[in-house]
Amino acid sequence: MSLRTRLLILVIAAMLVPAILVGLRFMQNRTSEIDAALANLAASADDIAADLGEKIQGTAQLHYGLARARDLDTRDKTACSAFLADVREEYPQFTGILTIDPDGRLSCDSLRTNRALDLNDRGYFKEVRTLQGKVAVEPVFGRLTGLSVLQIAYPVRSEAGALKFVLLASFNLNKFAEFHDKRLLAEKNILFVDAKGTVLVAPKGGWSEPVGGSIAGSDLFRFAVAPDGEPFREVTDRGGHTQIWGVARSPSIRKTGLYILVGRSKNGLVAAANRRLYEDTAILAVALLLLLAGLWILTTVSIGRQVGRLAVMAKRLGRGDLSARIPPPHPRGELGGLMTLLNGTAESLEQQRAAIADLSHKLSQSQKMEAMGQLTGGVAHDFNNLLTVILGNSEHLADRLAGNKELQRIADDIATAAERGSDLTRSLLAFARKQPLRPREVNIAEKILGMEQLLRRTLGEHIECNFTFAPGLWLASVDPGQLATAVLNLVLNARDAMPEGGRLTVEVRNASLGQSDLDVNGEPRPGDYVMVAVTDTGSGMSSEVATRAFEPFFTTKEVGKGTGLGLSMVYGFAQQSGGLVQMQSEPGQGSVVRLFFPRLAAPPSEDPPPAARTVTQADHETILLVEDDDMVRAYVENELKALGYRVITAANGPAALELLHQSRDIQLLLTDVVMPGGMFGPELARQAVALRPDLKVLFTSGYSQDPVKTPDGINARILTKPFRRQDLAAMLRSALAAPPR
């Protein structure tokens, strides 16, 4: 048997399994296409419902504006109808816009039919009479036009709340459906029915029930009104046509009594998938035939030499030389394709090796940063222990050297340096651990005043910066860190808008908002607020840009100059704080962004005077001191004894528990948070309080201001390292004076 025949048989055998797998894959693709087409029915219905919801919202905004038009608040019905006719010409999606008197009689009509209609029986009119600032929606057939419409009614009330008249816009459902029918390229059928099963908009072809007819009681209607039914349903009509329908599940649209369905012929849906399957199968068959024919020809032309080139290439790749390539010219047919494939594979492997190396480098950097964060936290913790000893001993030196001014100054300098070191460790810990900031009662003006130097440095000398703070500012409950970030984001945006220089003003004052004061979404939020306004004299924004300024990822800056998240973060922070955002901007006239934070309902209770100012002597209580660092333990023990306490010491949690079992005369547990031996301070406190319920607890820690979550039921205090003698004494008295649990 010749080599050519053997290769041919081998290729046929080798291609059989892949061909079967590819064929199975084609069948899977067919199933996936059918599933995707079915899912697309419900998605199309939801898209139409979402668009209709936007149209309803837009109509509500139109009503809100028309309600304030003087041309409607008149007894001249002719002038009123003419005004509404002009408005309707600008909004062709409505078949008519009219007003209804409180008694249900038609007043003004954009169609100027001068007909007398009594609309008291309409559901939307009954509902809208009870509403305040909202619209009532109902799908019906218009009495003036006979068309299927979505009646959108809005109550216009006097300042006293009395109903003056009702604004009604009839949204044309036929035009709306025609628009979406064109958008869907007429591949799908659109059906609108109301809550009674009446057909409002019928598909153009292959549908038996006319507009105005009813499908109540049908399987399709039961599917449409089911609150949580299947995503789609196959329905066969009286003509024997089978269609698959999907229904919109939008709660707001279904609440109006309108059901939107999108269907497609089952035969058309399956035929498209079958056609694709046949095409893919044909392509696979042609490819296999061409491959076999090429192999038959190739085996007659220098197959040995070409195989040799392939073998050399394979050996080089086997040695790890990914730069190996088979140089051209390449023979035609399978061997040439194989050579090209090998070259492409080698190139791909070379790229993958480079990508793996790059990923390895990034992983190494990530691990290094993580290790650096852990190392930083550990170093800062140990450094705080050292600073505790340094700061405490410097206080002792300052007391002992009170008569020697120069040496006392040196001791004070040591204490100052230790406090600066404490500030440094707080910065290190901020890098090592991301801790969530908590909202608290804040004087916003004081917070921004503390940022003044940072903001001035951020702006640069080419921008004049002014701060204005009104007297008698209210307190607000906000996250100070997030507030600082929001103000900094606004200042950075203002700086970018003034590349040639300008003037920036940061203003803080009290503000009381009413119903006419709207946020950037056009919603009124009346109430008392503390306002922060950032005003610049920069380039400003057009109305189109201003309307999208708070959208995430929207930016007018060049690529790489901004993420478009700054203003959206500011907006989200204000919303989460219970406040709102307003913005005004005009091209060439600068911009002003106002943040409003709710005023605290009641003034905060005054904090007790700082305990650090007075050192209260001990009352001969016994304290169990648990500290793993020998120097810190010795220093704190001496301080406690100097304050008049009896002290028992332990180097770790297990030893402390053993002492608690032996001695009952212990009033307070003073323990470090992070300790060796497998038992940290919180766990020690939990077990100690379980053993001695009357035991008071005071934590010390070299981490942040709030480094540990105390166990449930333990009202423990936390003393942050490094601390002064007054801090220790005051915290001890506060902990011992705490009421029993």
Side-chain angles (χ1 to χ4, degrees), residues 422-480:
S422 178
D423 293 336
L424 174 62
T425 57
R426 279 194 290 270
S427 298
L428 291 174
L429 287 169
F431 164 76
R433 301 189 303 166
K434 295 180 180 179
Q435 299 178 359
L437 298 174
R438 301 174 181 174
R440 52 189 178 89
E441 298 160 353
V442 173
N443 185 317
I444 293 180
E446 292 181 359
K447 180 63 180 178
I448 295 178
L449 189 61
M451 299 174 60
E452 180 178 357
Q453 295 302 320
L454 170 64
L455 297 180
R456 291 187 186 276
R457 288 195 301 270
T458 300
L459 289 170
E461 297 181 355
H462 66 296
I463 296 177
E464 177 186 351
C465 183
N466 299 318
F467 293 84
T468 303
F469 305 115
L473 289 172
W474 299 320
L475 293 180
S477 179
V478 296
D479 187 320

Side-chain angles (χ1 to χ4, degrees), residues 307-389:
V307 170
R309 297 174 67 189
L310 290 171
V312 172
M313 172 73 171
K315 288 180 181 179
R316 293 183 62 183
L317 291 177
R319 292 195 298 265
D321 182 9
L322 298 182
S323 63
R325 301 289 187 274
I326 300 177
H330 295 165
R332 297 180 180 180
E334 287 80 355
L335 283 180
L338 182 57
M339 291 179 181
T340 303
L341 179 62
L342 280 176
N343 282 345
T345 301
E347 183 176 354
S348 176
L349 290 174
E350 194 171 23
Q351 293 174 354
Q352 290 178 20
R353 175 181 287 179
I356 291 172
D358 182 59
L359 288 174
S360 177
H361 175 71
K362 291 179 179 178
L363 177 60
S364 176
Q365 285 294 104
S366 175
Q367 292 173 339
K368 183 171 69 175
M369 292 302 293
E370 182 179 357
M372 187 181 299
Q374 295 175 353
L375 176 63
T376 302
V379 169
H381 173 265
D382 293 341
F383 194 38
N384 274 335
N385 281 338
L386 298 176
L387 289 175
T388 300
V389 179

Side-chain angles (χ1 to χ4, degrees), residues 568-584:
S568 62
M569 292 170 61
V570 171
Y571 173 77
F573 164 60
Q575 290 284 315
Q576 291 174 0
S577 300
L580 65 149
V581 181
Q582 292 180 350
M583 183 175 68
Q584 294 176 346

Side-chain angles (χ1 to χ4, degrees), residues 247-571:
V247 64
R249 297 294 180 183
S250 170
S252 60
I253 298 301
R254 294 169 71 88
K255 185 178 179 181
T256 67
L258 178 64
Y259 299 95
I260 300 174
L261 297 98
V262 175
R264 187 174 181 181
S265 168
K266 180 179 179 181
N267 292 335
L269 185 146
V270 176
N274 288 339
R275 183 172 59 253
R276 180 63 181 271
L277 174 63
Y278 300 151
E279 291 173 354
D280 291 343
T281 305
I283 292 173
L284 175 62
V286 170
L288 290 175
L289 290 175
L290 291 176
L291 180 62
L292 293 175
L295 178 63
W296 182 267
I297 297 173
L298 183 62
T299 52
T300 62
V301 181
S302 303
I303 191 169
R305 183 172 62 88
Q306 305 302 339
V307 170
R309 297 174 67 189
L310 290 171
V312 172
M313 172 73 171
K315 288 180 181 179
R316 293 183 62 183
L317 291 177
R319 292 195 298 265
D321 182 9
L322 298 182
S323 63
R325 301 289 187 274
I326 300 177
H330 295 165
R332 297 180 180 180
E334 287 80 355
L335 283 180
L338 182 57
M339 291 179 181
T340 303
L341 179 62
L342 280 176
N343 282 345
T345 301
E347 183 176 354
S348 176
L349 290 174
E350 194 171 23
Q351 293 174 354
Q352 290 178 20
R353 175 181 287 179
I356 291 172
D358 182 59
L359 288 174
S360 177
H361 175 71
K362 291 179 179 178
L363 177 60
S364 176
Q365 285 294 104
S366 175
Q367 292 173 339
K368 183 171 69 175
M369 292 302 293
E370 182 179 357
M372 187 181 299
Q374 295 175 353
L375 176 63
T376 302
V379 169
H381 173 265
D382 293 341
F383 194 38
N384 274 335
N385 281 338
L386 298 176
L387 289 175
T388 300
V389 179
I390 294 172
L391 184 60
N393 288 326
S394 66
E395 288 186 296
H396 281 298
L397 287 175
D399 293 341
R400 298 283 182 92
L401 300 173
N404 190 325
K405 299 298 182 182
E406 183 175 356
L407 293 179
Q408 188 183 36
R409 180 185 59 78
I410 294 174
D412 291 338
D413 289 344
I414 294 174
T416 301
E419 290 179 342
R420 291 182 179 178
S422 178
D423 293 336
L424 174 62
T425 57
R426 279 194 290 270
S427 298
L428 291 174
L429 287 169
F431 164 76
R433 301 189 303 166
K434 295 180 180 179
Q435 299 178 359
L437 298 174
R438 301 174 181 174
R440 52 189 178 89
E441 298 160 353
V442 173
N443 185 317
I444 293 180
E446 292 181 359
K447 180 63 180 178
I448 295 178
L449 189 61
M451 299 174 60
E452 180 178 357
Q453 295 302 320
L454 170 64
L455 297 180
R456 291 187 186 276
R457 288 195 301 270
T458 300
L459 289 170
E461 297 181 355
H462 66 296
I463 296 177
E464 177 186 351
C465 183
N466 299 318
F467 293 84
T468 303
F469 305 115
L473 289 172
W474 299 320
L475 293 180
S477 179
V478 296
D479 187 320
Q482 292 288 349
L483 173 64
T485 301
V487 173
L488 183 59
N489 272 328
L490 294 178
V491 170
L492 288 173
N493 279 353
R495 181 196 65 185
D496 294 341
M498 299 183 288
E500 304 299 328
R503 183 175 66 257
L504 181 136
T505 302
V506 180
E507 178 188 7
V508 183
R509 62 178 174 86
N510 298 331
S512 295
L513 303 184
Q515 287 290 342
S516 60
D517 299 304
L518 309 178
D519 68 359
V520 293
N521 282 336
E523 298 178 0
R525 291 192 178 182
D528 294 334
Y529 296 89
V530 180
M531 185 200 73
V532 180
V534 178
T535 307
D536 66 71
T537 59
S539 57
M541 291 178 279
S542 65
S543 59
E544 292 80 6
V545 173
T547 55
R548 300 188 60 193
F550 292 93
E551 293 182 8
F553 304 109
F554 175 76
T555 179
T556 58
K557 299 177 183 178
E558 299 177 4
V559 176
K561 296 296 183 64
T563 63
L565 291 174
L567 285 179
S568 62
M569 292 170 61
V570 171
Y571 173 77

